Amino acid sequence: EEEEEEEDIVEINASNKIEELSEEEALKLEKKLNKKKEPQKTATKATPKQKKTAPTTKIAKASEPEDLSQEDSGDEGEEGEKVPNGKLKPNTGNGANLAKYSWIQTLQDVEVRIPLNVEFRVKGRDCTVQLKKNFLSVGLKGHDPIISGKLPYSIHPDESTWLLDSNVITVNMEKMNKMEWWSRVVDGEPEINTKKVQPENSNVSDLDDETQGMVRKMMFDQRQKEQGLPTSDEQKKLDMLEKFKQAHPEMDFSNAKIG
């Protein structure tokens, strides 16, 4: 019988010499080659977690919808009924909270806060602010003004200031007439009912004696109106009428009215 000739398995070593392998060495080499042919799993190197970029917070408007000034209940009519006036109820600072800005006032000055509704940090050079005797305009360069118009009363421009802090512009205007409550910041904007202003919310003690007296009179008259009672001026007229009635009992005052 013709013997089958065993196939020699050879390997090229590092010195490029061909060496004959034994059967045991051939099996080891075969296993090694088969292992290389198997698809290998790629070891993925764990990559460090990327830092999450904090989302840019959109600057809120002057007031949230639920904080906006509400419509005033109206003025009291001759028969005690409420008559709508289309005005707003003053906020706690005797001003108003509007969609784009909010404002407060004392008898000395008016303060307006205008949040800038942008997603970048605003610098002073990005702002445009005009403070004139009878005019105010505030906004960002390259954009329409957020608030702009004629002031209802005159201010002292040289004593009025504005500042930028955390994307909020705050304007402080010193009033010329320190005995006048403003119903709005500029013409054309929603008005508050100045009859509902609470002078107690202003720093009355900071005023001079004469002005303090006038403010306290206003405070008294406001409380009287809220209770449906005569104001100080109306009470004086009533007292005068009463004295006149006593001095002229022969006269009929049943239809007398206080103007």
Side-chain angles (χ1 to χ4, degrees), residues 71-138:
E71 187 175 348
D72 183 59
S73 58
D75 296 323
E76 192 168 307
E78 293 182 359
E79 298 180 2
E81 78 283 6
K82 292 292 183 180
V83 180
N85 53 30
K87 297 181 180 180
L88 299 174
K89 181 180 179 181
N91 60 19
T92 55
N94 293 325
N97 301 334
L98 306 176
K100 294 183 179 180
Y101 64 91
S102 61
W103 64 281
I104 58 175
Q105 67 176 319
T106 65
L107 283 170
Q108 293 81 36
D109 53 30
V110 176
E111 181 180 288
V112 189
R113 288 173 54 84
I114 308 110
L116 302 173
N117 194 22
V118 293
E119 296 182 354
F120 59 88
R121 181 62 60 186
V122 178
K123 296 182 179 179
R125 62 174 177 266
D126 301 321
C127 305
T128 57
V129 179
Q130 293 184 58
L131 273 168
K132 298 181 180 180
K133 183 179 179 181
N134 295 295
F135 181 80
L136 170 67
S137 180
V138 181

Side-chain angles (χ1 to χ4, degrees), residues 142-153:
H143 296 76
D144 292 334
I146 298 171
I147 177 173
S148 180
K150 183 178 180 296
L151 299 172
Y153 302 100

Side-chain angles (χ1 to χ4, degrees), residues 51-205:
K51 290 183 179 179
K52 291 184 178 179
T53 304
T56 304
T57 304
K58 194 172 184 180
I59 303 299
K61 290 185 178 180
S63 307
E64 295 300 327
E66 60 269 20
D67 295 329
L68 294 179
S69 294
Q70 302 299 312
E71 187 175 348
D72 183 59
S73 58
D75 296 323
E76 192 168 307
E78 293 182 359
E79 298 180 2
E81 78 283 6
K82 292 292 183 180
V83 180
N85 53 30
K87 297 181 180 180
L88 299 174
K89 181 180 179 181
N91 60 19
T92 55
N94 293 325
N97 301 334
L98 306 176
K100 294 183 179 180
Y101 64 91
S102 61
W103 64 281
I104 58 175
Q105 67 176 319
T106 65
L107 283 170
Q108 293 81 36
D109 53 30
V110 176
E111 181 180 288
V112 189
R113 288 173 54 84
I114 308 110
L116 302 173
N117 194 22
V118 293
E119 296 182 354
F120 59 88
R121 181 62 60 186
V122 178
K123 296 182 179 179
R125 62 174 177 266
D126 301 321
C127 305
T128 57
V129 179
Q130 293 184 58
L131 273 168
K132 298 181 180 180
K133 183 179 179 181
N134 295 295
F135 181 80
L136 170 67
S137 180
V138 181
L140 284 173
K141 289 181 179 177
H143 296 76
D144 292 334
I146 298 171
I147 177 173
S148 180
K150 183 178 180 296
L151 299 172
Y153 302 100
S154 299
I155 62 169
H156 292 287
D158 294 339
E159 302 299 325
S160 300
T161 59
W162 70 274
L163 63 87
L164 172 68
D165 183 30
S166 301
N167 278 23
V168 177
I169 296 176
T170 301
V171 178
N172 187 278
M173 299 179 288
E174 183 176 316
K175 297 178 178 179
M176 269 194 182
N177 183 350
K178 301 186 185 302
M179 288 306 301
E180 191 77 53
W181 293 110
W182 289 23
S183 64
R184 61 198 179 280
V185 176
V186 295
D187 290 351
E189 290 290 281
E191 297 186 38
I192 63 167
N193 185 357
T194 53
K195 294 179 180 179
K196 301 289 179 68
V197 161
Q198 298 294 327
E200 294 94 330
N201 295 338
S202 300
N203 296 322
V204 178
S205 59

Side-chain angles (χ1 to χ4, degrees), residues 23-49:
E23 186 176 352
E24 185 179 348
E25 290 173 331
L27 287 172
K28 288 182 180 179
L29 179 59
E30 187 179 2
K31 287 181 180 179
K32 187 177 178 181
L33 293 172
N34 288 337
K35 191 174 182 181
K36 286 184 178 180
K37 291 179 182 179
E38 291 177 0
Q40 295 183 0
K41 294 182 180 178
T42 305
T44 54
K45 194 175 182 180
T47 56
K49 288 184 179 179

